[in-house]
Amino acid sequence: MREQSEDTLLEEALGALAGPGRRGAKFTAKRLRKNVGEAYLLVPLPFALALDRVRGALAEAAGGNSPWPLESGPDRAALRVLAGGGFGGLNPVVVTADLNADGPHGTGVHLRAAAKEGLIRQRAGEKTAERIVQILNR
């Protein structure tokens, strides 16, 4: 599950919400457009501290669920978490954070939040990315 694409993770999560209608929900989810929010920011912390801070922000946005690592290295890391967005936090949002050490300046963070959208545009991906940036800027 951890190496799956954004689309596959979102389809599985939407299918899980449907209960007995799982197959129909997954079929429909494949055809929905995706709303994506992206943000780039520089965290003025050394890489290890910035990684802990981003990990905490992702866990907070996901209601306490810990993010899982996609990539790890001495000066580069990628984390992913499944958060809730939209009305009542019921729309699954896949959030990926890529971190790169930027020398003495701090750590560069690229956030990408993606969610499927139906007829009513909730912009769950965009709003979730904004929410995580606000958490990181506290």
Side-chain angles (χ1 to χ4, degrees):
M1 173 179 155
R2 297 179 190 270
E3 285 84 28
Q4 292 176 325
S5 71
E6 284 177 345
D7 288 321
T8 304
L9 287 170
L10 291 169
E11 291 160 13
E12 291 291 328
L14 287 168
L17 287 173
R22 177 183 198 97
R23 288 181 46 204
K26 286 174 62 175
F27 177 81
T28 302
K30 288 180 183 182
R31 283 136 187 88
L32 295 175
R33 67 177 167 259
K34 195 166 36 171
N35 175 260
V36 176
E38 293 190 84
Y40 301 90
L41 58 145
L42 183 66
V43 178
L45 295 171
F47 180 75
L49 293 175
L51 181 59
D52 287 340
R53 182 146 183 192
V54 170
R55 186 177 287 126
L58 292 177
E60 183 179 333
N65 295 330
S66 296
W68 62 86
L70 294 176
E71 181 181 331
S72 182
D75 61 350
R76 177 161 166 55
L79 303 170
R80 181 171 277 173
V81 71
L82 189 63
F87 181 74
L90 295 175
N91 193 5
V93 182
V94 174
V95 182
T96 307
D98 289 313
L99 292 86
N100 290 302
D102 195 15
H105 305 294
T107 304
V109 179
H110 171 227
L111 289 172
R112 177 180 168 88
K116 294 285 188 169
E117 286 207 335
L119 293 174
I120 300 171
R121 291 189 43 102
Q122 297 182 38
R123 299 179 325 147
E126 295 171 33
K127 290 179 181 179
T128 302
E130 292 169 7
R131 183 168 40 122
I132 294 171
V133 167
Q134 290 174 352
I135 293 169
L136 285 171
N137 285 332
R138 281 195 244 156

